[in-house]
Amino acid sequence: MHSVPVILGLTVLTVLLISPSQVIGWRPYPPKTNGSDQIFGGSKKFEGSSNLVSLRYHMGPVLTNNITVHPIWYGTWQKSQKKIIREFINSISAVGSKHPSVSGWWKTVQLYTDQTGSNITGTVRLGEEKNDRFYSHGKSLTRLSIQSVIKSAVASRSRPLPVNPKSGLYLLLTADDVYVQDFCGQVCGFHYFTFPSIVGFTLPYAWVGNSAKFCPGVCAYPFAVPEFIPGIKPVKSPNGDVGVDGMISVIAHEIAELATNPLVNAWYAGPDPVAPVEIADLCEGIYGTGGGGSYTGQMLNDDRGATYNVNGIRRRFLIQWLWNHVVSYCTGPNKLD
């Protein structure tokens, strides 16, 4: 096992405001640009440190209660694909994983508090799941029809998902033959909360799509590389599935931001509450020590040559670092006691 430095193109913050649903979106690849490193500067000591960052607490709720993640599997999924995603979610609160670990990465999320001083929970568990294998709302979804899919899952006559506004997190995962509005061109995943007028409840949710058929070079980067980055080879994915391994990084990004900003009125930077820059956005493109500007930082290789940066219960994953508001720079997994 040895560290592998990888050079990327310029990474910029990508936050998207879309009317009427106003969801926050993200994509992991470096966009086309001829500019210089504008956001993070050239620091290699304090990963992504910047005097431009002003992350503040805006008095809204965070997820201090134990979090239950409810996956909604939309479309056709292989058992092996579901297993990879389930094991990542179960690894967030796992005890005994080898450092650097997913649970050590979550320690940065736990540093964030609400107005009473209560920290975000350290317990994230996999809850009840829902399969929508017959594409109940078609193979092309809008941002609003995504909320209709969630409504179908919680209002189903057969084994509906439980409604839990305080600690439930609803994770809609679309298969590789499902297109979602603005997928690939602008976003790879997003989070927001459901509208009572559509779903009947206000529930924190995230959507992440499998990009394997549509745009792996955009949303499964660096396991696939976009055409506009010549001379860069993709790295080998740790679980042998480029689309799903790419999804893991986006899932991690969205869960961390849902925990710290579930109603878009808690922890974020920037003056505009409807277009916030959140704790994962601030570290976009940073996967290891020394990351910043156009450099990912050092990542790890296993004995098969696959690239990762965290250990789970039985698997390895590649996920980006998070903004640590205590020290004001991006940090990776903490070593657990």
Side-chain angles (χ1 to χ4, degrees), residues 29-291:
Y29 81 109
K32 299 178 182 178
T33 179
N34 293 320
S36 59
D37 294 350
Q38 300 172 33
I39 301 299
F40 296 115
S43 172
K44 295 295 182 290
K45 181 178 180 182
F46 302 120
E47 285 67 46
S49 61
S50 173
N51 292 329
L52 301 178
V53 173
S54 179
L55 186 78
R56 295 190 298 114
Y57 177 54
H58 298 267
M59 305 305 290
V62 300
L63 299 185
T64 57
N65 294 325
N66 292 347
I67 297 170
T68 301
V69 179
H70 296 289
I72 302 171
W73 306 96
Y74 191 84
T76 303
W77 289 88
Q78 299 174 15
K79 290 182 179 179
S80 60
Q81 294 176 319
K82 289 183 176 182
K83 189 173 182 180
I84 294 169
I85 294 173
R86 287 174 181 143
E87 289 193 12
F88 173 75
I89 295 170
N90 284 327
S91 294
I92 295 175
S93 298
V95 176
S97 296
K98 183 181 178 181
H99 179 74
S101 67
V102 178
S103 51
W105 167 85
W106 187 256
K107 288 295 182 182
T108 297
V109 181
Q110 289 182 256
L111 295 173
Y112 291 84
T113 61
D114 64 12
Q115 57 186 300
T116 70
S118 298
N119 292 81
I120 290 175
T121 180
T123 301
V124 180
R125 70 179 187 89
L126 186 66
E128 295 177 48
E129 306 175 26
K130 191 68 178 176
N131 291 299
D132 195 333
R133 61 177 62 91
F134 298 114
Y135 307 87
S136 64
H137 291 74
K139 290 189 176 183
S140 182
L141 303 176
T142 66
R143 293 170 181 271
L144 286 182
S145 66
I146 277 177
Q147 295 206 19
S148 297
V149 174
I150 296 172
K151 178 183 178 180
S152 296
V154 300
S156 174
R157 292 183 179 181
S158 173
R159 302 177 67 181
L161 291 181
V163 174
N164 189 347
K166 291 186 177 181
S167 61
L169 191 160
Y170 298 81
L171 182 61
L172 177 58
L173 304 168
T174 50
D176 61 9
D177 58 348
V178 178
Y179 180 75
V180 174
Q181 180 183 353
D182 298 318
F183 190 23
C184 298
Q186 294 177 317
V187 294
C188 301
F190 58 69
H191 76 87
Y192 205 60
F193 51 86
T194 61
F195 302 148
S197 59
I198 297 177
V199 180
F201 309 92
T202 301
L203 304 173
Y205 77 92
W207 158 76
V208 179
N210 187 335
S211 66
K213 291 182 178 178
F214 290 117
C215 57
V218 175
C219 293
Y221 185 84
F223 305 123
V225 177
E227 294 180 356
F228 63 81
I229 306 183
I232 300 295
K233 294 182 179 180
V235 300
K236 185 176 180 180
S237 66
N239 296 290
D241 189 310
V242 168
V244 173
D245 275 317
M247 290 181 73
I248 293 296
S249 183
V250 186
I251 290 170
H253 180 117
E254 301 302 340
I255 290 179
E257 292 186 342
L258 270 173
T260 53
N261 198 28
L263 300 182
V264 201
N265 60 358
W267 288 94
Y268 64 86
D272 190 350
V274 297
V277 178
E278 299 168 291
I279 70 166
D281 299 321
L282 289 166
C283 303
E284 185 175 327
I286 297 177
Y287 294 89
T289 299

